[in-house]
Amino acid sequence: MASLTLPSSQVSSSYSSSFFRGSSPTHATLSFNHSRSRIHLSNNYRCDLSEQLKFSNGKPNIRIINERTLPKFLESARMEKAVSRTNIRLKLFSGTANPALSQEIAWYMGLELGKINIKRFADGEIYVQLQESVRGCDVYLVQPTCPPANENLMELLIMIDACRRASAKNITAVIPYFGYARADRKTQGRESIAAKLVANLITEAGANRVLSCDLHSGQSMGYFDIPVDHIYCQPVILDYLASKTVSSNDLVVVSPDVGGVARARAFAKKLSDAPLAIVDKRRHGHNVAEVMNLIGDVRGKVAVMVDDMIDTAGTIAKGAALLHQEGAREVYACCTHAVFSPPAIERLSGGLFQEVIITNTLPVAEKNYFPELTVLSVANLLGETIWRVHDDCSVSSIFQ
């Protein structure tokens, strides 16, 4: 496991890996905010590996950081929280969309998931009842709007309403995958902007804050009339890529479409400022894509395709085929949200990719496992974010 070490004699950190040969050191600065330390890292991610990591494909390797491999500054913070968890007014509840991720977040935070009763009536209506008091508490509801999207979205809204009526002090909707984010603007006449509608629904249900991962587009944050914490999952994927024995001179980051150039450029800068290539794609309809051209040089290189989600995998599969035609040595696919609508599995397991790297913001059914798939856990990232949001809210309430 790649780790970050902060020596006690100096507050600095240097990542190094054969994946990033020839890079300059990265520095960290340490400052104190109330009782908890803050560590700010620069944008270059390089990992100090004590030994070569071995990852086998097949059933996905879900990398869950634990107390044996956690970076020291996070390990000490977690122990501090675990000791004082009985004195806080923080409640963490899970919906039915991704309970495994919720359990991992609770473990990192040193908490137990709150007791909640969620069931369906015979006609499909959703019933929610909290099984413990949340009066005066800061409540965090973990519920991605993954398939079935409408069911899980409605469940989230009812959970928020239940907490509001139970007199919770603050309600934060933790939505690792924010559905309907692709309908964020009008590209044709008489279209809806469903992202704004969903934002209004969450706000009107009673949420005070939203926490989400890798939104499809940045403007989605502006659709909410409440604070939104946008979490980038790139560090989790970059940490895993640091285990690969690939020279930075042989690497090229590829955007599967023009709309993802900013995301791919930010990813490339953190990979020792790797070169960038762009797949020019013309879409003729929803979930239908046709690759037209490639901008950039990938001949003889390892291509890393970066996107926020994989739905039917049409875009990324056709892009990978084009990269192979242009002489790419290997092709990796990296994305945060694995929606995996049919026929995504057939396309991804067809031999085009050396490895498909995703995170567990959405649950992956065991029937969708294939040899090239690797699943990385974002539980620690979300857990640490919740702690920091809770600390900030607690301090703000003192001075009100």
Side-chain angles (χ1 to χ4, degrees):
M1 175 71 193
S3 62
L4 171 64
T5 304
L6 293 179
S8 58
S9 60
Q10 59 181 359
V11 185
S12 65
S13 173
S14 176
Y15 291 96
S16 61
S17 170
S18 58
F19 197 84
F20 309 107
R21 293 170 186 163
S23 300
S24 58
T26 301
H27 297 284
T29 60
L30 180 65
S31 62
F32 291 91
N33 183 0
H34 307 287
S35 63
R36 301 182 64 245
S37 60
R38 305 285 183 177
I39 295 179
H40 307 281
L41 298 178
S42 70
N43 289 332
N44 292 324
Y45 285 81
R46 293 176 295 165
C47 297
D48 184 12
L49 302 177
S50 57
E51 60 183 24
Q52 180 61 38
L53 300 180
K54 297 180 180 179
F55 299 104
S56 58
N57 291 325
K59 188 173 182 179
N61 177 12
I62 301 182
R63 293 161 49 79
I64 304 172
I65 300 177
N66 55 43
E67 66 271 13
R68 295 181 296 278
T69 59
L70 200 65
K72 290 185 178 179
F73 72 96
L74 287 180
E75 180 179 346
S76 60
R78 181 185 181 276
M79 293 305 297
E80 173 188 339
K81 297 161 192 166
V83 171
S84 62
R85 65 182 181 270
T86 58
N87 299 322
I88 62 172
R89 300 289 290 170
L90 186 154
K91 299 285 187 178
L92 184 69
F93 292 92
S94 173
T96 60
N98 196 349
L101 175 59
S102 303
Q103 189 62 58
E104 291 178 33
I105 295 172
W107 181 92
Y108 172 80
M109 298 180 68
L111 299 172
E112 295 290 337
L113 284 175
K115 295 180 176 62
I116 186 171
N117 180 23
I118 303 174
K119 64 181 181 181
R120 264 70 171 172
F121 290 108
D123 62 352
E125 291 182 5
I126 301 170
Y127 172 83
V128 172
Q129 181 188 30
L130 303 178
Q131 301 290 296
E132 58 186 80
S133 174
V134 295
R135 184 178 297 276
C137 295
D138 292 333
V139 178
Y140 293 81
L141 306 174
V142 183
Q143 175 80 341
T145 56
C146 53
N150 299 330
E151 287 260 335
N152 289 324
L153 174 60
M154 194 63 196
E155 183 179 306
L156 173 63
L157 297 177
I158 298 175
M159 289 170 64
I160 294 172
D161 182 72
C163 292
R164 180 173 62 87
R165 297 180 186 279
S167 301
K169 181 180 179 182
N170 292 300
I171 304 169
T172 300
V174 182
I175 312 173
Y177 170 66
F178 179 64
Y180 288 99
R182 285 172 285 187
D184 56 1
R185 64 192 185 280
K186 291 184 67 173
T187 58
Q188 303 177 57
R190 300 175 296 281
E191 282 186 331
S192 68
I193 303 180
K196 173 59 176 171
L197 172 62
V198 173
N200 289 342
L201 290 171
I202 293 172
T203 303
E204 291 301 318
N208 303 107
R209 195 181 197 98
V210 168
L211 192 156
S212 190
C213 298
D214 285 339
L215 293 169
H216 186 66
S217 56
Q219 66 259 31
S220 297
M221 289 185 287
Y223 295 156
F224 289 89
D225 296 325
I226 55 178
V228 177
D229 292 294
H230 189 192
I231 304 173
Y232 296 94
C233 297
Q234 283 186 355
V236 177
I237 298 175
L238 289 164
D239 180 63
Y240 176 73
L241 287 176
S243 67
K244 302 296 179 181
T245 55
V246 180
S247 171
S248 58
N249 297 326
D250 295 334
L251 182 70
V252 58
V253 176
V254 181
S255 173
D257 54 29
V258 175
V261 171
R263 183 184 303 107
R265 185 187 295 118
F267 198 88
K269 289 180 68 175
K270 294 173 184 177
L271 289 179
S272 300
D273 205 14
L276 182 68
I278 304 168
V279 175
D280 178 30
K281 174 195 67 177
R282 307 295 169 88
R283 189 180 292 277
H284 300 294
H286 296 298
N287 298 129
V288 179
E290 180 181 352
V291 171
M292 301 295 292
N293 202 356
L294 177 68
I295 304 170
D297 181 26
V298 298
R299 187 167 299 279
K301 295 187 177 183
V302 175
V304 179
M305 301 188 74
V306 180
D307 209 350
D308 64 318
M309 72 171 70
I310 297 178
D311 190 356
T312 62
T315 296
I316 204 163
K318 290 185 178 181
L322 179 63
L323 293 175
H324 282 293
Q325 292 175 13
E326 296 293 329
R329 191 168 80 241
E330 293 177 350
V331 178
Y332 289 80
C334 301
C335 89
T336 302
H337 310 300
V339 181
F340 287 176
S341 302
I345 302 304
E346 289 77 7
R347 290 169 172 170
L348 294 173
S349 60
L352 292 171
F353 300 98
Q354 181 75 13
E355 192 169 1
V356 178
I357 304 167
I358 63 172
T359 70
N360 63 343
T361 55
L362 283 77
V364 180
E366 189 167 354
K367 65 179 181 180
N368 290 334
Y369 293 167
F370 55 94
E372 295 82 13
L373 183 66
T374 299
V375 182
L376 308 179
S377 178
V378 296
N380 299 9
L381 188 65
L382 288 169
E384 183 65 20
T385 303
I386 292 173
W387 271 121
R388 298 191 182 199
V389 169
H390 175 69
D391 286 352
D392 291 341
C393 292
S394 299
V395 171
S396 298
S397 64
I398 294 175
F399 295 99
Q400 286 179 352

